[in-house]
Amino acid sequence: PHRGTMTISLSSVPRFHKVQEADRLSSNMWLRNLASIPTSHTLARIRSHLVANTLWAMSLFVMMHYYPAAVKILTTGMTSVPHSLSGGALGLLLVFRTNSAYDRFWESRKIWSAMITHLRELARLSHSSLRGWDREHVLQLLAAFPPVLLQHLRSGRGRGSGKQREALKGLLSESDVDRIWASRHRPMCVLRMISAIVRSAF
């Protein structure tokens, strides 16, 4: 018998643990990216604005093509100065937004690197402090925490694809995967499982 709060057979635990490599973007994936446009989250967010701008541009084109005299009368006295001024302002706004987005990306990268460092430290302490199945179980959960957290941040609470679940089976036992996948907050579930093992061991 082993110590711990989880009743799991050692024979059901994978012997080798390999994290699947992330898909890398390359120039020859343009067809795949083109096919993913209908399911794009960004397109779903700007869809209404995009449709409105497209309809407005089409209506202007029809008026210019079929009613040029009416358009000329409507645009009498208009200049391009406001457009030039707004173009410069929009350029500055895009620069600030790009810098802000890069700062957020860099900050998140630093936070992620710090988390990986803490996980390595916890793995080292667990390896030297725990024994038997408790040690192996904690190390497995620590290895599974980054992909679980990444899936939680990308897909949202209680969501995820079957492919992501299958990837976890390369790190954890079937019962652990079922328990984590059934939770609404999967990263917190992993942390609670680690805490339960450590509490029972000490």
Side-chain angles (χ1 to χ4, degrees):
H2 58 270
R3 298 172 61 188
T5 58
M6 308 300 173
T7 306
I8 301 174
S9 175
L10 288 175
S11 60
S12 64
V13 180
R15 185 176 180 182
F16 302 101
H17 314 297
K18 182 179 179 181
V19 179
Q20 294 184 355
E21 295 183 359
D23 295 334
R24 302 298 179 184
L25 299 179
S26 60
S27 58
N28 58 0
M29 295 173 59
W30 63 270
L31 186 60
R32 175 183 172 185
N33 295 333
L34 190 64
S36 66
I37 289 179
T39 58
S40 172
H41 296 287
T42 304
L43 181 62
R45 294 178 60 184
I46 65 174
R47 180 169 47 198
S48 58
H49 302 282
L50 186 61
V51 171
N53 291 331
T54 302
L55 293 177
W56 174 252
M58 290 177 62
S59 62
L60 290 180
F61 171 78
V62 171
M63 291 183 63
M64 288 289 296
H65 186 73
Y66 292 101
Y67 310 101
V71 173
K72 186 175 181 180
I73 294 174
L74 293 174
T75 57
T76 301
M78 293 185 179
T79 64
S80 60
V81 175
H83 297 281
S84 302
L85 295 176
S86 61
L90 287 175
L92 292 176
L93 179 62
L94 287 176
V95 170
F96 291 142
R97 290 287 299 236
T98 302
N99 291 338
S100 177
Y102 183 77
D103 289 340
R104 290 196 299 269
F105 163 76
W106 189 252
E107 183 67 22
S108 62
R109 184 174 180 178
K110 290 191 295 183
I111 294 174
W112 189 268
S113 299
M115 183 197 70
I116 296 299
T117 301
H118 291 313
L119 288 177
R120 289 173 178 169
E121 184 68 17
L122 286 174
R124 186 186 66 83
L125 292 175
S126 301
H127 195 274
S128 60
S129 302
L130 298 175
R131 295 292 182 271
W133 166 244
D134 288 343
R135 178 177 63 186
E136 297 300 323
H137 199 185
V138 168
L139 292 177
Q140 289 176 13
L141 292 172
L142 288 175
F145 182 76
V148 169
L149 179 60
L150 183 62
Q151 176 268 327
H152 178 80
L153 294 175
R154 286 181 174 178
S155 303
R157 177 177 295 182
R159 298 180 181 178
S161 63
K163 184 178 179 181
Q164 294 169 338
R165 179 171 181 172
E166 290 298 323
L168 285 180
K169 292 182 179 179
L171 296 170
L172 301 172
S173 63
E174 185 77 23
S175 58
D176 278 352
V177 173
D178 293 339
R179 182 179 292 106
I180 294 171
W181 206 257
S183 175
R184 293 187 60 191
H185 199 294
R186 291 164 188 158
M188 185 60 66
C189 179
V190 175
L191 295 178
R192 287 176 177 175
M193 293 170 67
I194 295 174
S195 300
I197 297 171
V198 173
R199 184 168 58 249
S200 66
F202 296 99

mmCIF file of all heavy atoms in Angstrom, residues 20-52:
data_model
loop_
_atom_site.group_PDB
_atom_site.id
_atom_site.type_symbol
_atom_site.label_atom_id
_atom_site.label_comp_id
_atom_site.label_asym_id
_atom_site.label_seq_id
_atom_site.Cartn_x
_atom_site.Cartn_y
_atom_site.Cartn_z
ATOM 1 N N GLN A 20 4.226 16.715 -25.433
ATOM 2 C CA GLN A 20 4.158 16.916 -26.862
ATOM 3 C C GLN A 20 4.650 18.303 -27.235
ATOM 4 O O GLN A 20 4.359 19.290 -26.572
ATOM 5 C CB GLN A 20 2.713 16.736 -27.344
ATOM 6 C CG GLN A 20 2.191 15.319 -27.180
ATOM 7 C CD GLN A 20 0.803 15.163 -27.767
ATOM 8 O OE1 GLN A 20 0.202 16.136 -28.203
ATOM 9 N NE2 GLN A 20 0.307 13.951 -27.770
ATOM 10 N N GLU A 21 5.413 18.365 -28.314
ATOM 11 C CA GLU A 21 5.941 19.641 -28.775
ATOM 12 C C GLU A 21 4.814 20.498 -29.339
ATOM 13 O O GLU A 21 3.892 19.999 -29.973
ATOM 14 C CB GLU A 21 7.007 19.413 -29.838
ATOM 15 C CG GLU A 21 8.248 18.690 -29.327
ATOM 16 C CD GLU A 21 9.297 18.555 -30.397
ATOM 17 O OE1 GLU A 21 9.040 19.007 -31.539
ATOM 18 O OE2 GLU A 21 10.379 18.006 -30.114
ATOM 19 N N ALA A 22 4.945 21.791 -29.110
ATOM 20 C CA ALA A 22 3.943 22.719 -29.615
ATOM 21 C C ALA A 22 4.092 22.884 -31.123
ATOM 22 O O ALA A 22 5.177 22.767 -31.677
ATOM 23 C CB ALA A 22 4.086 24.078 -28.918
ATOM 24 N N ASP A 23 2.956 23.141 -31.775
ATOM 25 C CA ASP A 23 2.988 23.375 -33.211
ATOM 26 C C ASP A 23 3.679 24.698 -33.498
ATOM 27 O O ASP A 23 3.368 25.729 -32.884
ATOM 28 C CB ASP A 23 1.565 23.401 -33.779
ATOM 29 C CG ASP A 23 0.890 22.042 -33.649
ATOM 30 O OD1 ASP A 23 1.619 21.036 -33.609
ATOM 31 O OD2 ASP A 23 -0.358 22.013 -33.581
ATOM 32 N N ARG A 24 4.613 24.679 -34.426
ATOM 33 C CA ARG A 24 5.341 25.875 -34.810
ATOM 34 C C ARG A 24 4.751 26.446 -36.096
ATOM 35 O O ARG A 24 4.451 25.708 -37.026
ATOM 36 C CB ARG A 24 6.829 25.557 -35.020
ATOM 37 C CG ARG A 24 7.495 24.964 -33.789
ATOM 38 C CD ARG A 24 7.468 25.917 -32.611
ATOM 39 N NE ARG A 24 8.091 25.323 -31.446
ATOM 40 C CZ ARG A 24 8.140 25.891 -30.258
ATOM 41 N NH1 ARG A 24 7.580 27.058 -30.058
ATOM 42 N NH2 ARG A 24 8.721 25.297 -29.239
ATOM 43 N N LEU A 25 4.592 27.753 -36.136
ATOM 44 C CA LEU A 25 4.067 28.398 -37.325
ATOM 45 C C LEU A 25 5.167 28.540 -38.363
ATOM 46 O O LEU A 25 6.307 28.863 -38.040
ATOM 47 C CB LEU A 25 3.502 29.776 -36.974
ATOM 48 C CG LEU A 25 2.336 29.786 -35.982
ATOM 49 C CD1 LEU A 25 1.892 31.208 -35.710
ATOM 50 C CD2 LEU A 25 1.166 28.974 -36.511
ATOM 51 N N SER A 26 4.827 28.286 -39.603
ATOM 52 C CA SER A 26 5.783 28.433 -40.693
ATOM 53 C C SER A 26 5.051 28.961 -41.913
ATOM 54 O O SER A 26 3.816 28.993 -41.971
ATOM 55 C CB SER A 26 6.452 27.091 -41.011
ATOM 56 O OG SER A 26 5.480 26.129 -41.390
ATOM 57 N N SER A 27 5.825 29.356 -42.937
ATOM 58 C CA SER A 27 5.240 29.971 -44.120
ATOM 59 C C SER A 27 4.443 28.994 -44.964
ATOM 60 O O SER A 27 3.598 29.412 -45.760
ATOM 61 C CB SER A 27 6.356 30.603 -44.966
ATOM 62 O OG SER A 27 7.310 29.606 -45.327
ATOM 63 N N ASN A 28 4.712 27.703 -44.829
ATOM 64 C CA ASN A 28 3.985 26.720 -45.640
ATOM 65 C C ASN A 28 2.670 26.285 -45.004
ATOM 66 O O ASN A 28 2.036 25.343 -45.471
ATOM 67 C CB ASN A 28 4.864 25.492 -45.894
ATOM 68 C CG ASN A 28 5.320 24.832 -44.598
ATOM 69 O OD1 ASN A 28 4.980 25.288 -43.505
ATOM 70 N ND2 ASN A 28 6.102 23.778 -44.730
ATOM 71 N N MET A 29 2.255 26.955 -43.933
ATOM 72 C CA MET A 29 0.984 26.637 -43.273
ATOM 73 C C MET A 29 -0.108 27.622 -43.673
ATOM 74 O O MET A 29 -1.124 27.745 -42.995
ATOM 75 C CB MET A 29 1.154 26.646 -41.752
ATOM 76 C CG MET A 29 2.086 25.577 -41.225
ATOM 77 S SD MET A 29 2.401 25.758 -39.448
ATOM 78 C CE MET A 29 0.740 25.626 -38.802
ATOM 79 N N TRP A 30 0.076 28.340 -44.806
ATOM 80 C CA TRP A 30 -0.888 29.380 -45.181
ATOM 81 C C TRP A 30 -2.249 28.786 -45.494
ATOM 82 O O TRP A 30 -3.285 29.394 -45.195
ATOM 83 C CB TRP A 30 -0.357 30.155 -46.387
ATOM 84 C CG TRP A 30 -0.185 29.328 -47.625
ATOM 85 C CD1 TRP A 30 0.912 28.639 -48.012
ATOM 86 C CD2 TRP A 30 -1.177 29.103 -48.638
ATOM 87 N NE1 TRP A 30 0.699 27.993 -49.186
ATOM 88 C CE2 TRP A 30 -0.591 28.255 -49.621
ATOM 89 C CE3 TRP A 30 -2.499 29.519 -48.826
ATOM 90 C CZ2 TRP A 30 -1.263 27.836 -50.740
ATOM 91 C CZ3 TRP A 30 -3.179 29.099 -49.956
ATOM 92 C CH2 TRP A 30 -2.556 28.261 -50.901
ATOM 93 N N LEU A 31 -2.286 27.588 -46.079
ATOM 94 C CA LEU A 31 -3.570 26.968 -46.405
ATOM 95 C C LEU A 31 -4.333 26.588 -45.135
ATOM 96 O O LEU A 31 -5.555 26.770 -45.042
ATOM 97 C CB LEU A 31 -3.340 25.743 -47.281
ATOM 98 C CG LEU A 31 -4.606 25.061 -47.826
ATOM 99 C CD1 LEU A 31 -5.406 26.051 -48.677
ATOM 100 C CD2 LEU A 31 -4.244 23.837 -48.649
ATOM 101 N N ARG A 32 -3.595 26.091 -44.136
ATOM 102 C CA ARG A 32 -4.226 25.750 -42.861
ATOM 103 C C ARG A 32 -4.738 27.000 -42.163
ATOM 104 O O ARG A 32 -5.841 26.994 -41.598
ATOM 105 C CB ARG A 32 -3.209 25.025 -41.993
ATOM 106 C CG ARG A 32 -3.686 24.722 -40.587
ATOM 107 C CD ARG A 32 -2.578 24.062 -39.783
ATOM 108 N NE ARG A 32 -2.935 23.937 -38.388
ATOM 109 C CZ ARG A 32 -2.111 23.476 -37.455
ATOM 110 N NH1 ARG A 32 -0.904 23.072 -37.787
ATOM 111 N NH2 ARG A 32 -2.500 23.403 -36.196
ATOM 112 N N ASN A 33 -3.952 28.075 -42.200
ATOM 113 C CA ASN A 33 -4.398 29.331 -41.583
ATOM 114 C C ASN A 33 -5.607 29.903 -42.314
ATOM 115 O O ASN A 33 -6.515 30.464 -41.689
ATOM 116 C CB ASN A 33 -3.251 30.339 -41.587
ATOM 117 C CG ASN A 33 -2.092 29.906 -40.721
ATOM 118 O OD1 ASN A 33 -2.268 29.172 -39.751
ATOM 119 N ND2 ASN A 33 -0.888 30.333 -41.066
ATOM 120 N N LEU A 34 -5.621 29.760 -43.645
ATOM 121 C CA LEU A 34 -6.759 30.251 -44.418
ATOM 122 C C LEU A 34 -8.028 29.479 -44.081
ATOM 123 O O LEU A 34 -9.116 30.050 -43.974
ATOM 124 C CB LEU A 34 -6.442 30.148 -45.916
ATOM 125 C CG LEU A 34 -7.417 30.829 -46.874
ATOM 126 C CD1 LEU A 34 -7.417 32.343 -46.642
ATOM 127 C CD2 LEU A 34 -7.045 30.519 -48.312
ATOM 128 N N ALA A 35 -7.887 28.177 -43.883
ATOM 129 C CA ALA A 35 -9.058 27.365 -43.552
ATOM 130 C C ALA A 35 -9.570 27.624 -42.138
ATOM 131 O O ALA A 35 -10.729 27.343 -41.834
ATOM 132 C CB ALA A 35 -8.721 25.882 -43.717
ATOM 133 N N SER A 36 -8.716 28.154 -41.268
ATOM 134 C CA SER A 36 -9.133 28.418 -39.885
ATOM 135 C C SER A 36 -9.776 29.779 -39.699
ATOM 136 O O SER A 36 -10.181 30.112 -38.582
ATOM 137 C CB SER A 36 -7.917 28.303 -38.953
ATOM 138 O OG SER A 36 -6.977 29.331 -39.235
ATOM 139 N N ILE A 37 -9.889 30.573 -40.767
ATOM 140 C CA ILE A 37 -10.476 31.910 -40.647
ATOM 141 C C ILE A 37 -11.926 31.863 -40.160
ATOM 142 O O ILE A 37 -12.317 32.658 -39.292
ATOM 143 C CB ILE A 37 -10.354 32.667 -41.992
ATOM 144 C CG1 ILE A 37 -8.887 33.046 -42.248
ATOM 145 C CG2 ILE A 37 -11.224 33.923 -41.993
ATOM 146 C CD1 ILE A 37 -8.665 33.765 -43.554
ATOM 147 N N PRO A 38 -12.790 30.967 -40.668
ATOM 148 C CA PRO A 38 -14.184 30.960 -40.173
ATOM 149 C C PRO A 38 -14.319 30.705 -38.677
ATOM 150 O O PRO A 38 -15.308 31.128 -38.067
ATOM 151 C CB PRO A 38 -14.836 29.830 -40.993
ATOM 152 C CG PRO A 38 -14.016 29.736 -42.235
ATOM 153 C CD PRO A 38 -12.614 30.033 -41.801
ATOM 154 N N THR A 39 -13.351 30.031 -38.068
ATOM 155 C CA THR A 39 -13.423 29.744 -36.633
ATOM 156 C C THR A 39 -12.539 30.683 -35.812
ATOM 157 O O THR A 39 -12.289 30.410 -34.642
ATOM 158 C CB THR A 39 -12.989 28.292 -36.377
ATOM 159 O OG1 THR A 39 -11.650 28.093 -36.870
ATOM 160 C CG2 THR A 39 -13.933 27.326 -37.066
ATOM 161 N N SER A 40 -12.091 31.770 -36.421
ATOM 162 C CA SER A 40 -11.192 32.696 -35.731
ATOM 163 C C SER A 40 -11.941 33.465 -34.644
ATOM 164 O O SER A 40 -13.032 34.008 -34.880
ATOM 165 C CB SER A 40 -10.581 33.668 -36.740
ATOM 166 O OG SER A 40 -9.859 34.685 -36.091
ATOM 167 N N HIS A 41 -11.355 33.524 -33.447
ATOM 168 C CA HIS A 41 -11.956 34.296 -32.354
ATOM 169 C C HIS A 41 -11.871 35.799 -32.633
ATOM 170 O O HIS A 41 -12.770 36.556 -32.287
ATOM 171 C CB HIS A 41 -11.260 33.960 -31.039
ATOM 172 C CG HIS A 41 -11.440 32.542 -30.606
ATOM 173 N ND1 HIS A 41 -12.629 32.048 -30.112
ATOM 174 C CD2 HIS A 41 -10.579 31.488 -30.597
ATOM 175 C CE1 HIS A 41 -12.512 30.774 -29.818
ATOM 176 N NE2 HIS A 41 -11.274 30.401 -30.110
ATOM 177 N N THR A 42 -10.775 36.225 -33.251
ATOM 178 C CA THR A 42 -10.626 37.641 -33.586
ATOM 179 C C THR A 42 -11.673 38.075 -34.600
ATOM 180 O O THR A 42 -12.264 39.157 -34.483
ATOM 181 C CB THR A 42 -9.213 37.902 -34.131
ATOM 182 O OG1 THR A 42 -8.244 37.467 -33.177
ATOM 183 C CG2 THR A 42 -9.009 39.381 -34.420
ATOM 184 N N LEU A 43 -11.903 37.230 -35.613
ATOM 185 C CA LEU A 43 -12.924 37.564 -36.613
ATOM 186 C C LEU A 43 -14.305 37.632 -35.982
ATOM 187 O O LEU A 43 -15.123 38.483 -36.360
ATOM 188 C CB LEU A 43 -12.892 36.520 -37.732
ATOM 189 C CG LEU A 43 -13.894 36.729 -38.877
ATOM 190 C CD1 LEU A 43 -13.620 38.048 -39.582
ATOM 191 C CD2 LEU A 43 -13.832 35.571 -39.861
ATOM 192 N N ALA A 44 -14.579 36.767 -35.025
ATOM 193 C CA ALA A 44 -15.882 36.803 -34.354
ATOM 194 C C ALA A 44 -16.082 38.100 -33.574
ATOM 195 O O ALA A 44 -17.203 38.613 -33.480
ATOM 196 C CB ALA A 44 -16.021 35.597 -33.432
ATOM 197 N N ARG A 45 -14.996 38.643 -33.035
ATOM 198 C CA ARG A 45 -15.108 39.874 -32.247
ATOM 199 C C ARG A 45 -15.315 41.102 -33.123
ATOM 200 O O ARG A 45 -15.998 42.045 -32.727
ATOM 201 C CB ARG A 45 -13.856 40.058 -31.391
ATOM 202 C CG ARG A 45 -13.690 38.999 -30.309
ATOM 203 C CD ARG A 45 -12.407 39.207 -29.530
ATOM 204 N NE ARG A 45 -12.382 40.501 -28.877
ATOM 205 C CZ ARG A 45 -11.337 40.979 -28.189
ATOM 206 N NH1 ARG A 45 -10.249 40.248 -28.073
ATOM 207 N NH2 ARG A 45 -11.396 42.154 -27.629
ATOM 208 N N ILE A 46 -14.708 41.128 -34.321
ATOM 209 C CA ILE A 46 -14.790 42.318 -35.183
ATOM 210 C C ILE A 46 -15.751 42.107 -36.348
ATOM 211 O O ILE A 46 -15.781 42.927 -37.272
ATOM 212 C CB ILE A 46 -13.395 42.683 -35.724
ATOM 213 C CG1 ILE A 46 -12.878 41.576 -36.652
ATOM 214 C CG2 ILE A 46 -12.422 42.930 -34.586
ATOM 215 C CD1 ILE A 46 -11.580 41.923 -37.343
ATOM 216 N N ARG A 47 -16.530 41.034 -36.298
ATOM 217 C CA ARG A 47 -17.380 40.701 -37.436
ATOM 218 C C ARG A 47 -18.386 41.794 -37.744
ATOM 219 O O ARG A 47 -18.562 42.186 -38.908
ATOM 220 C CB ARG A 47 -18.086 39.378 -37.161
ATOM 221 C CG ARG A 47 -19.004 38.911 -38.277
ATOM 222 C CD ARG A 47 -19.434 37.478 -38.011
ATOM 223 N NE ARG A 47 -19.868 37.332 -36.620
ATOM 224 C CZ ARG A 47 -19.959 36.149 -36.006
ATOM 225 N NH1 ARG A 47 -19.621 35.052 -36.644
ATOM 226 N NH2 ARG A 47 -20.369 36.084 -34.748
ATOM 227 N N SER A 48 -19.051 42.322 -36.731
ATOM 228 C CA SER A 48 -20.074 43.340 -36.976
ATOM 229 C C SER A 48 -19.472 44.607 -37.555
ATOM 230 O O SER A 48 -20.023 45.197 -38.493
ATOM 231 C CB SER A 48 -20.814 43.653 -35.670
ATOM 232 O OG SER A 48 -19.897 44.106 -34.672
ATOM 233 N N HIS A 49 -18.316 45.039 -37.027
ATOM 234 C CA HIS A 49 -17.663 46.236 -37.558
ATOM 235 C C HIS A 49 -17.191 46.011 -38.993
ATOM 236 O O HIS A 49 -17.286 46.913 -39.843
ATOM 237 C CB HIS A 49 -16.480 46.624 -36.681
ATOM 238 C CG HIS A 49 -16.851 46.868 -35.249
ATOM 239 N ND1 HIS A 49 -17.454 48.041 -34.831
ATOM 240 C CD2 HIS A 49 -16.722 46.092 -34.138
ATOM 241 C CE1 HIS A 49 -17.671 47.979 -33.528
ATOM 242 N NE2 HIS A 49 -17.247 46.821 -33.083
ATOM 243 N N LEU A 50 -16.679 44.807 -39.257
ATOM 244 C CA LEU A 50 -16.195 44.498 -40.598
ATOM 245 C C LEU A 50 -17.329 44.491 -41.612
ATOM 246 O O LEU A 50 -17.188 45.024 -42.722
ATOM 247 C CB LEU A 50 -15.483 43.142 -40.584
ATOM 248 C CG LEU A 50 -14.777 42.712 -41.869
ATOM 249 C CD1 LEU A 50 -13.683 43.708 -42.233
ATOM 250 C CD2 LEU A 50 -14.184 41.324 -41.709
ATOM 251 N N VAL A 51 -18.468 43.927 -41.239
ATOM 252 C CA VAL A 51 -19.630 43.902 -42.136
ATOM 253 C C VAL A 51 -20.140 45.316 -42.384
ATOM 254 O O VAL A 51 -20.477 45.681 -43.530
ATOM 255 C CB VAL A 51 -20.732 43.003 -41.547
ATOM 256 C CG1 VAL A 51 -22.028 43.145 -42.338
ATOM 257 C CG2 VAL A 51 -20.283 41.555 -41.543
ATOM 258 N N ALA A 52 -20.190 46.140 -41.332
ATOM 259 C CA ALA A 52 -20.677 47.516 -41.490
ATOM 260 C C ALA A 52 -19.757 48.324 -42.407
ATOM 261 O O ALA A 52 -20.233 49.042 -43.303
ATOM 262 C CB ALA A 52 -20.780 48.183 -40.121
#
